Amino acid sequence: MRPGAAAILAALSLLTLGAAPAREVPLPARMRDTGGGTQLITAQAARTGATSGTVTWWDLRGGRWVRAGSAPARFGARGLVEGTARRQGTNTTPTGLYRLPFAFGTKAAPGGTRLRYRRVGPDSWWCQDNGSRSYNRWTQPRPADCRAAESEHLVAYPTQYAHALVIGFNYSRPVRGRGAGIFLHVNGRGATAGCVSVPRNAMRRILAWADPARRPHIAIGTAGGKTAISRY
């Protein structure tokens, strides 16, 4: 070793030891709004054209957001789009921050589920008919003004809807033509028609974790750009 090299290495070592690693700021802490509760689900894709990404669920503890779990996610077959600009039938997942009205499933609620959970039966439908008074609503049975061809017969999807959470997109005051039946549900064979999906075990974990008293919401978005999840 050249003269003086040992001293240089020692100095560099001291600098390295003395520098504390930068703590990564949790994703919810970088968002404009998290819904005002102490639980949050984030569904993030790399870009709007992506059909896969990550779902993470978070707890706010002592003023800091802590990751409670994470799973690979699937999005719409045609990617993601700003929720206020979405059109029905485009196979896009709407970005934005949404509440979670209730859960449902063709299977019984996982142990520990505290959210309101509706069991799917043979007469359970989600109305997507723009001409119906029940547009973007669970109906049981299907009303006469809601055409079957324009709706989802929930029992016909035993895999995807084994367990699901209703995402409150276009839900409180539905805008006709914007879209209906956007859920967080169990994976099917590939990308979704506009929902967010995760593996079945992850869906069960999310339902056992979510506490309505803590007002959980879901934020859907991309890593950057106009639909960046941090904008919501």
Side-chain angles (χ1 to χ4, degrees):
M1 183 176 291
R2 296 193 310 274
I8 294 171
L9 287 173
L12 289 173
S13 178
L14 286 172
L15 286 172
T16 302
L17 289 172
R23 177 179 289 184
E24 182 181 357
V25 179
L27 179 55
R30 291 183 267 125
M31 293 171 56
R32 290 183 181 179
D33 187 10
T34 57
T38 58
Q39 286 188 328
L40 179 71
I41 301 170
T42 56
Q44 188 179 51
R47 58 191 181 281
T48 53
T51 59
S52 62
T54 304
V55 159
T56 306
W57 47 108
W58 307 81
D59 289 307
L60 184 61
R61 300 175 183 168
R64 179 174 173 79
W65 287 100
V66 179
R67 188 174 69 173
S70 185
R74 293 172 178 168
F75 297 98
R78 296 187 64 186
L80 298 86
V81 68
E82 174 65 48
T84 55
R86 186 182 187 272
R87 301 302 300 170
Q88 188 162 325
T90 56
N91 289 343
T92 53
T93 298
T95 63
L97 177 68
Y98 306 106
R99 65 188 186 93
L100 301 164
F102 63 91
F104 68 88
T106 61
K107 302 294 184 183
T113 299
R114 287 160 287 183
L115 295 168
R116 183 163 66 100
Y117 190 93
R118 301 184 73 166
R119 189 73 182 269
V120 172
D123 291 328
S124 303
W125 293 75
W126 196 275
C127 184
Q128 300 180 357
D129 188 335
N130 281 281
S132 174
R133 290 173 294 178
S134 300
Y135 179 68
N136 202 20
R137 287 292 183 272
W138 169 296
T139 64
Q140 190 168 324
R142 179 176 54 83
D145 72 342
C146 183
R147 292 169 291 171
E150 298 294 327
S151 302
E152 277 196 339
H153 195 194
L154 299 178
V155 76
Y157 301 90
T159 298
Q160 294 93 324
Y161 296 157
H163 305 294
L165 260 173
V166 176
I167 295 175
F169 165 73
N170 201 30
Y171 189 80
S172 296
R173 297 178 180 178
V175 175
R176 312 288 168 156
R178 183 163 289 172
I182 301 298
F183 312 127
L184 173 62
H185 64 69
V186 177
N187 284 339
R189 293 183 177 179
T192 73
C195 296
V196 180
S197 72
V198 292
R200 181 169 176 169
N201 182 59
M203 193 69 236
R204 292 178 62 86
R205 289 167 59 200
I206 290 169
L207 288 176
W209 159 84
D211 182 353
R214 298 179 63 187
R215 293 182 294 163
H217 285 66
I218 185 168
I220 305 169
T222 53
K226 294 181 179 180
T227 53
I229 202 167
S230 58
R231 291 182 57 243
Y232 301 111

